[in-house]
Amino acid sequence: MQQDKEDSPIKRMAELLRQGATLTDLACPVCASPLFRLKDGFLWCAKDEKRVVVVREGEEPPKQAVSTQNSNAYDKLEAVLMSKIDDIQDKIEATQDVDELQKLTLALSELLNSVEKIKKMKA
């Protein structure tokens, strides 16, 4: 079980590379993991699953790391996912079929993971 947790950041790193991200020579200031430059130009820590903003000495940090447009998109997506979570919760309460229950809980787990990732991206 411990190995699964250790493999997870490596799997996320591999997935970033498959999606076209570039491995940089920079390290995350929190966990020292290598940083990736995403296609949109942002730096990303695969281990922490957070965007990283580099501030050079003498520069002012950006007041808002995520643009308002992106923030609104994240808020909207989070609201849609929460609505789907409510729908699945109702279906879980109503079902007696074990196979259906298994499918619903798997879908619920994926939706919750997505909401968690969105919250990390907004942080």
Side-chain angles (χ1 to χ4, degrees):
M1 189 69 170
Q2 180 67 22
Q3 187 159 353
D4 288 342
K5 288 183 180 181
E6 291 174 5
D7 288 344
S8 188
I10 293 170
K11 288 179 183 178
R12 288 192 297 264
M13 290 176 192
E15 183 60 30
L16 285 171
L17 290 171
R18 280 192 289 273
Q19 293 173 356
T22 307
L23 181 62
T24 69
D25 62 344
L26 302 171
C28 176
V30 176
C31 68
S33 178
L35 294 179
F36 292 82
R37 186 165 310 280
L38 303 178
K39 286 183 177 181
D40 60 10
F42 293 114
L43 291 174
W44 186 259
C45 176
K47 185 173 181 181
D48 294 332
E49 296 187 74
K50 288 190 176 183
R51 193 171 129 196
V52 177
V53 177
V54 175
V55 180
R56 307 231 187 274
E57 190 173 335
E59 289 181 354
E60 288 292 317
K63 293 191 191 281
Q64 189 174 9
V66 178
S67 72
T68 305
Q69 184 178 8
N70 284 344
S71 182
N72 289 339
Y74 292 146
D75 290 341
K76 184 176 178 181
L77 181 57
E78 185 178 358
V80 169
L81 292 174
M82 293 304 293
S83 172
K84 297 297 180 187
I85 288 170
D86 288 340
D87 293 345
I88 289 177
Q89 182 180 358
D90 292 341
K91 290 178 182 178
I92 287 173
E93 290 174 1
T95 191
Q96 298 297 321
D97 182 13
V98 175
D99 290 333
E100 181 69 13
L101 184 60
Q102 188 175 19
K103 290 177 186 176
L104 289 169
T105 55
L106 180 62
L108 180 62
S109 176
E110 291 297 322
L111 288 170
L112 290 170
N113 286 338
S114 295
V115 169
E116 182 179 343
K117 286 179 183 179
I118 290 169
K119 287 183 179 188
K120 285 182 180 180
M121 291 176 75
K122 290 183 353 181

Coordinates of all heavy atoms in Angstrom, one line a residue, residues 85-97 100-101 104-105 108:
I85 N -22.6 15.2 -8.0 CA -22.4 14.4 -6.8 C -23.8 14.3 -6.0 O -24.1 13.2 -5.6 CB -21.4 15.1 -5.9 CG1 -20.0 14.9 -6.5 CG2 -21.4 14.6 -4.5 CD1 -18.9 15.7 -5.9
D86 N -24.6 15.3 -6.0 CA -25.9 15.3 -5.4 C -26.8 14.3 -6.1 O -27.5 13.5 -5.5 CB -26.6 16.6 -5.4 CG -25.9 17.6 -4.4 OD1 -25.2 17.1 -3.5 OD2 -26.1 18.8 -4.6
D87 N -26.7 14.3 -7.5 CA -27.5 13.3 -8.2 C -27.2 11.9 -7.9 O -28.0 11.0 -7.7 CB -27.4 13.6 -9.7 CG -27.9 14.9 -10.2 OD1 -28.7 15.5 -9.4 OD2 -27.6 15.3 -11.3
I88 N -25.9 11.6 -7.9 CA -25.4 10.3 -7.6 C -25.8 9.9 -6.2 O -26.1 8.7 -5.9 CB -23.9 10.2 -7.8 CG1 -23.6 10.2 -9.3 CG2 -23.3 8.9 -7.2 CD1 -22.1 10.2 -9.7
Q89 N -25.7 10.8 -5.2 CA -26.1 10.5 -3.9 C -27.5 10.0 -3.8 O -27.8 9.0 -3.1 CB -25.8 11.7 -3.0 CG -26.2 11.4 -1.5 CD -26.0 12.7 -0.6 OE1 -25.5 13.7 -1.1 NE2 -26.3 12.6 0.6
D90 N -28.4 10.7 -4.5 CA -29.8 10.3 -4.5 C -30.0 8.9 -5.1 O -30.7 8.1 -4.6 CB -30.6 11.3 -5.4 CG -30.7 12.7 -4.7 OD1 -30.4 12.8 -3.5 OD2 -31.0 13.7 -5.4
K91 N -29.2 8.6 -6.2 CA -29.3 7.3 -6.8 C -28.8 6.2 -5.9 O -29.3 5.1 -5.9 CB -28.5 7.3 -8.1 CG -29.2 8.1 -9.2 CD -28.4 8.1 -10.5 CE -29.1 9.0 -11.6 NZ -28.3 9.1 -12.8
I92 N -27.7 6.5 -5.1 CA -27.2 5.6 -4.2 C -28.2 5.2 -3.1 O -28.4 4.1 -2.8 CB -25.8 6.1 -3.6 CG1 -24.7 6.0 -4.6 CG2 -25.5 5.3 -2.3 CD1 -23.4 6.7 -4.1
E93 N -28.9 6.2 -2.6 CA -29.9 6.0 -1.6 C -31.1 5.2 -2.1 O -31.6 4.4 -1.4 CB -30.4 7.4 -1.1 CG -29.4 8.1 -0.3 CD -29.9 9.5 0.1 OE1 -31.0 9.9 -0.2 OE2 -29.1 10.2 0.8
A94 N -31.4 5.3 -3.4 CA -32.5 4.6 -4.0 C -32.3 3.2 -4.5 O -33.2 2.4 -4.6 CB -33.1 5.5 -5.1
T95 N -31.0 2.9 -4.8 CA -30.7 1.6 -5.4 C -30.6 0.5 -4.4 O -30.2 0.7 -3.3 CB -29.4 1.7 -6.3 OG1 -29.3 0.5 -7.0 CG2 -28.2 1.8 -5.4
Q96 N -31.0 -0.7 -4.9 CA -30.9 -1.9 -4.1 C -29.9 -2.9 -4.8 O -29.5 -3.9 -4.3 CB -32.2 -2.6 -3.9 CG -33.2 -1.8 -3.2 CD -32.8 -1.5 -1.7 OE1 -32.2 -2.4 -1.1 NE2 -33.0 -0.3 -1.2
D97 N -29.6 -2.6 -6.1 CA -28.7 -3.4 -6.9 C -27.3 -3.2 -6.6 O -26.7 -2.1 -6.6 CB -29.0 -3.1 -8.4 CG -28.2 -3.9 -9.3 OD1 -27.6 -4.9 -8.9 OD2 -28.1 -3.6 -10.5
E100 N -25.1 -1.9 -9.5 CA -25.4 -0.5 -9.7 C -24.7 0.4 -8.6 O -24.2 1.4 -8.9 CB -26.9 -0.2 -9.8 CG -27.3 1.2 -10.0 CD -26.9 1.7 -11.4 OE1 -26.6 0.9 -12.3 OE2 -27.0 2.9 -11.6
L101 N -24.8 -0.1 -7.4 CA -24.2 0.6 -6.2 C -22.7 0.7 -6.4 O -22.1 1.8 -6.2 CB -24.5 -0.1 -4.9 CG -24.0 0.5 -3.7 CD1 -24.6 1.9 -3.5 CD2 -24.4 -0.3 -2.5
L104 N -22.0 3.4 -9.1 CA -22.3 4.7 -8.6 C -21.2 5.2 -7.6 O -20.8 6.3 -7.6 CB -23.6 4.7 -7.9 CG -24.9 4.6 -8.8 CD1 -26.1 4.4 -8.0 CD2 -25.0 5.8 -9.7
T105 N -20.7 4.3 -6.7 CA -19.7 4.7 -5.8 C -18.4 5.0 -6.5 O -17.6 5.9 -6.1 CB -19.5 3.6 -4.7 OG1 -19.2 2.4 -5.3 CG2 -20.7 3.5 -3.8
L108 N -18.9 8.4 -8.0 CA -18.8 9.3 -6.9 C -17.4 9.6 -6.5 O -17.0 10.8 -6.3 CB -19.6 8.9 -5.7 CG -19.7 9.8 -4.5 CD1 -20.3 11.1 -4.8 CD2 -20.4 9.1 -3.4

